[in-house]
Amino acid sequence: MSGRLVIAGAGHAAGQVIATLRQKNFPGDIILIGEEPWLPYQRPPLSKKFLAGKLPAERLYVKPPAFYDEPPTTVMLGTRIESLDRGAKAVVLGDGTSVPYDTLILALGSRVRRLPRMPGSDLDGIHYLRTVQDVRAIQRDFAAARNLTIVGAGYIGLEVAAVAADLGLNVTVIETQDRVMKRVVAPQVSEFYEREHRSRGVNLLLDTGIERFRGSTRVDGVVLSGGKAPVPADLVVTGIGIVPNTELAAAAGLEVADGIVVDDRCRTEDPDIYAVGDCTLHPNRLFGRKVRLESVQNALEQARTAAANVCGEDVRYAEVPWFWSDQYDLKLQIAGLSQGYDCAILRGDPDGRSFSCVYLANERIIALDAVNKPKDFLQAKKLIADGKTMKMNMLCDTRTELKDLSA
Ligand code: FAD
C-alpha cells in the first residue's frame, strides 16, 4: 500500500482516485500524468451551462487547484504517455523519459468518434466536443453564426441543440436513425424529446444520412443523401459517440475488448495495473454482463473502488449505473440499463412535462428514465439494485409511489 502510484490520464476519474487515496491516508507518492493542459475537470457542463456561457471555467474543476499542491502529489499536465513498459514497470513519455511505478491506474477515458472520411469532412467550422478547448472553438463560431448543423441526435447533439436554440441560432439536427436517442430510450421518450425540440424551432431530420460537406476552406452547408435538400451551415457540431482509449493497454499486452478489461475490483490481469472510468469494460453483477459505461457515476465509483483496493481494502464495484441530460428546462435522469427490456410503461403524462418511463424485463425493473421527476429516479435506483419485480398493471398509477409498486 506504499510506493509510487502513477495515474495515467488526468480526467474526472483521476481526480477522484487522488481524493480517495488522500481520504485513506495513502502514504506513497502520487504522480498524475495528463495529456490535456488542465487539472481534472467535469465534462458534463461542456454541452450544457458552460457552452451556454453560464458557468465560469474555474467551476469545472473536480477539485480546486490547491488540492494538488499538497505533497506527495506530482502533477504533469500537457504530457502524453506514449507507451507502457510493464517489464520495467514504467510509463514512457513522448520525449523518451520513463516514469516508474509500483502501481499504475489507467484513467485514460475516451475520445470522440470521428466522421467517416467524406468530401469536406476536414473543412474549418466542423467541430467535435470533448474538451474545454473544443467548447471555446465552438463558442467563437457561435458568435458569428446564424445556422448551426448538428450531426447526431444523442445526448450531446441534443444538449448542444437546446443551448443553441436558446441562443437564437437556426438549428438543424441530422440523425441516421429513425428517432432521437434511439440507443438509450424507448420510442415514447424519443417522441417527447422530438416534440420539445421541434416546438423550439429545431429542424430535426431523422432517417437522414450525409453525403458531403460543402465549402471551400470553411463549411457552408451539408449535402444530404437520398436527394434531400442541402442544409446551410455556418458551423457543424458532431456528436456521434466515443471510442475508449484502449491502445496503450492493448500494446502492452493487457486484455482489451470494447474497453480495457477489468474485474469488479477494477484490476486488470496485471496485479500492478488497475483501470477506471470510460476506458474500462467491467462486470456488472446487477445486470449479469460486462458493460462499458460513459458516465460520471461510473468514473467516480470505479475511482473510489480502485483507490480503496490499492490501499489494501477489498472493495467490489456493483453499482446501479445512472446518467443525466439537461435539455431546455427538462432534466432527464436515467437509472439502470434499458437494453434488453421487453416492456416500457409511462408513468404520468408527457404533456405535463413531468413523467417517467419504466423499463422491465420479465416484470423486473431494469431501468427508468425520469423527466423532471426526481423522486421516481431515486426510488428506481433502489428497486433496480434490489432486483424487484413490479405490479405491471398499476405502474401507470402516479398516485401510488413507485417504491410501493413492487410485487
Ligand atoms: P476523461 O474525463 O475523458 O479523462 C481521461 C483523460 O485522460 C483525458 O483528459 C485524456 O486527455 C487523458 N489521456 C488519454 N490518453 C492519454 C495519454 N496517452 N497520455 C496522457 N493522458 C491521456 N456523463 C454523465 O454522467 N452525465 C452527463 O451529463 C455527461 N455529459 C457529458 C457531456 C460531454 C460534452 C462529454 C464529453 C461527456 C459527458 N459525460 C457525461 C461523460 C463523462 O464526462 C465521462 O464519462 C467522464 O469524463 C469519464 O471520466 P474519465 O476520467 O474516465 O475520462
Side-chain angles (χ1 to χ4, degrees), residues 7-15 33-38 40-48 76 78-83 93 106-112 129-131 134-135 155-156 159-160 242 245 248 276-280 293-300 302 322-326 332:
I7 306 171
H12 213 133
I33 307 177
E35 186 178 18
E36 290 185 74
W38 293 283
Y41 64 91
Q42 310 168 59
R43 293 182 205 279
L46 300 187
S47 48
K48 308 178 180 71
M76 299 167 72
T79 306
R80 185 174 164 77
I81 297 169
E82 293 298 337
S83 62
L93 311 180
L106 302 174
L108 298 162
S110 48
R111 58 183 182 273
V112 290
L129 206 179
R130 181 81 199 167
T131 66
D134 294 337
V135 177
Y155 296 123
I156 290 183
E159 288 178 356
V160 173
I242 59 148
N245 288 325
L248 283 182
V276 295
D278 275 18
C279 64
T280 68
L293 300 173
E294 303 159 17
S295 77
V296 164
Q297 168 270 331
N298 177 61
L300 295 179
Q302 282 198 309
W322 57 266
F323 193 84
W324 76 95
S325 174
D326 299 336
L332 170 62

Side-chain angles (χ1 to χ4, degrees), residues 149-200:
T149 293
I150 294 166
V151 183
Y155 296 123
I156 290 183
L158 294 180
E159 288 178 356
V160 173
V163 169
D166 279 347
L167 290 173
L169 272 75
N170 300 324
V171 182
T172 298
V173 179
I174 300 171
E175 167 60 57
T176 51
Q177 300 290 332
D178 57 357
R179 59 187 179 86
V180 304
M181 298 190 281
K182 185 168 183 175
R183 195 166 61 94
V184 279
V185 302
Q188 302 94 304
V189 180
S190 294
E191 278 162 29
F192 169 77
Y193 275 91
E194 287 163 16
R195 277 199 305 277
E196 284 290 328
H197 281 278
R198 287 190 165 123
S199 76
R200 319 277 174 141

